[in-house]
């Protein structure tokens, strides 16, 4: 929705490497990989120590509210191999995960689902690795 995407330099490097590795492996998620590639390339990159604690980074746990239903849930943004929907661990390659990456508390994020477009609002960042002294180098 026109919100600036902010990434740590470390997340950018890791995600860029992931994209190229999965493309080399001829991963089936070509559309998602291309979308993520565009998102990270256009994002503002900052040093991990300078990222604000209200920004969603890889490994962040956040509280989101579905605008259409008012339902609030907790999610954790993870790499594809860590994804587990039952535990609320959402892959950065999913439509929602990619949309959340680099967003801030208060942002409303729209993403595509098989049923159409949904919108969530980021209520809180419950845990961010960088704000807790993790992933700073």
């Amino acid at each position: 929705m026109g919100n600036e995407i902010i990434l740590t330099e470390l997340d950018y490097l890791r995600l860029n490497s992931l994209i190229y590795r999965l493309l080399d492996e001829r991963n089936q998620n070509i559309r998602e990989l291309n979308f993520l590639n565009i998102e990270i390339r256009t994002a503002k990159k900052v040093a991990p120590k300078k990222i604000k604690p209200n920004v969603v980074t890889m490994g962040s746990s956040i509280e989101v509210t579905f605008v259409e239903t008012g339902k609030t849930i907790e999610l954790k943004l993870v790499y594809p191999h860590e994804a587990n929907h039952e535990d609320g661990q959402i892959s950065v390659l999913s439509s929602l995960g990619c949309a959340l990456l680099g967003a801030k508390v208060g942002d409303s994020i729209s993403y595509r689902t098989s049923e159409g477009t949904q919108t969530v609002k980021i209520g809180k960042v419950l845990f961010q690795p960088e704000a807790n002294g993790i992933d700073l180098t």
Side-chain angles (χ1 to χ4, degrees):
M1 298 191 115
N3 300 322
E4 179 182 44
I5 299 167
I6 303 168
L7 282 182
T8 67
E9 293 160 343
L10 186 56
D11 280 350
Y12 171 78
L13 292 172
R14 288 177 177 165
L15 290 168
N16 192 51
S17 176
L18 172 73
I19 290 166
Y20 282 105
R21 182 174 52 79
L22 291 177
L23 286 173
D24 283 347
E25 294 172 359
R26 303 209 185 280
N27 189 282
Q28 300 300 307
N29 299 319
I30 297 295
R31 194 181 97 171
E32 292 84 358
L33 290 168
N34 285 331
F35 186 73
L36 180 60
N37 192 31
I38 292 167
E39 291 284 301
I40 69 171
R41 294 209 182 288
T42 59
K44 177 182 178 183
K45 289 122 184 125
V46 299
K49 291 179 182 177
K50 295 191 180 207
I51 194 96
K52 293 184 178 173
N54 68 334
V55 176
V56 180
T57 63
M58 292 303 300
S60 291
S61 292
I62 59 173
E63 187 178 271
V64 299
T65 301
F66 290 86
V67 173
E68 291 82 7
T69 64
K71 181 179 178 181
T72 299
I73 62 170
E74 185 177 322
L75 298 171
K76 181 177 182 181
L77 185 61
V78 298
Y79 292 95
H81 68 278
E82 300 170 310
N84 183 330
H85 288 280
E86 290 80 32
D87 291 339
Q89 296 185 45
I90 186 162
S91 170
V92 70
L93 283 185
S94 69
S95 297
L96 176 56
C98 188
L100 290 170
L101 179 67
K104 300 177 291 308
V105 170
D107 286 351
S108 290
I109 306 297
S110 294
Y111 66 101
R112 292 180 187 224
T113 69
S114 55
E115 292 87 39
T117 301
Q118 287 198 356
T119 303
V120 295
K121 183 168 184 164
I122 301 172
K124 297 177 188 171
V125 173
L126 304 168
F127 174 85
Q128 182 205 67
E130 295 79 6
N132 286 275
I134 302 168
D135 267 355
L136 295 177
T137 56

